[in-house]
Amino acid sequence: MAQGKTTHFGFQEVPIEEKSHKVAEVFHSVASHYDLMNDLMSLGIHRLWKRFVIELSGVRSGMRVLDLAGGTGDLAKTFSERVGNKGQVVLADINSSMLEKGRERLVNLGKVGNLNYVQANAEHLPFPADYFDRITIAFGLRNITQKEAALHSMYQALKPGGQLLVLEFSKPASWLTSAYDIYSFWILPRLGKLVAGDADSYRYLAESIRRHPDQETLSAMMRSAGFDYCDFYNLNHGIVALHRGYKY
């Protein structure tokens, strides 16, 4: 990776080789309060967004599923139930604190047998080519430094006929912008300070959403990575979008 290049970390410009370390610090900090903060930040609506991912994925018995940036395992939990004993679910996360929280939670729920846990960088996935039937990544793509490399790596790991589903914050309808900015930059950091004792990490999360590609741009990036029939669904007026692409 070339020295001297920069990338964004929220609204800051940082050396490209430092971003992954800074993102790691954020998620080490928020891991212990991650689920609670998700419920508070979205008023529980994140569960409906993830349910939409699950239903649209069409995951069924015997499939292999990779849940990238899987965090505390919301998606992996349901996928493990759907693929059954003949299937496999891999919960992968680059952050060791988040991965450990996910493993602990799912083991406590009795989800064992068809679940594996892998600490992995999405830009260089350590899996065979043409291996997974489905790959999902929920609220993780915006934190990846080289998004194009990650999308290409996901494409390589999918079987022909497989699908990638990307759930991510996106660009909301224009009439929502002012209220959304007040919530993101005023309320959210204060909520993070009150609940998690960490305003800066939640300020970064708000900033990272603004730097993430909008709906059309991300669809174009997915097509450039090789995906066909790319489409997206705006949820809650575009605050979140679910992108889908196929490998043929």
Side-chain angles (χ1 to χ4, degrees), residues 44-59 73-82 105 111 136 138-139 165 167 235-236 240 242:
I45 298 173
H46 74 99
R47 299 177 185 275
L48 299 179
W49 297 332
K50 291 170 183 173
R51 174 59 59 179
F52 187 52
V53 174
I54 290 163
E55 296 306 325
L56 200 67
S57 73
V59 166
D74 285 347
L75 292 176
K77 172 183 177 292
T78 302
F79 285 142
S80 73
E81 296 165 357
R82 297 210 171 186
R105 179 187 177 209
K111 303 299 178 184
T136 60
F139 305 116
L165 297 108
L167 183 69
L235 308 177
N236 290 85
V240 167
L242 173 57

Side-chain angles (χ1 to χ4, degrees), residues 165-185:
L165 297 108
V166 180
L167 183 69
E168 189 54 88
F169 290 105
S170 199
K171 185 177 181 180
S174 58
W175 60 268
L176 266 176
T177 301
S178 295
Y180 191 48
D181 283 348
I182 291 170
Y183 173 78
S184 299
F185 297 113

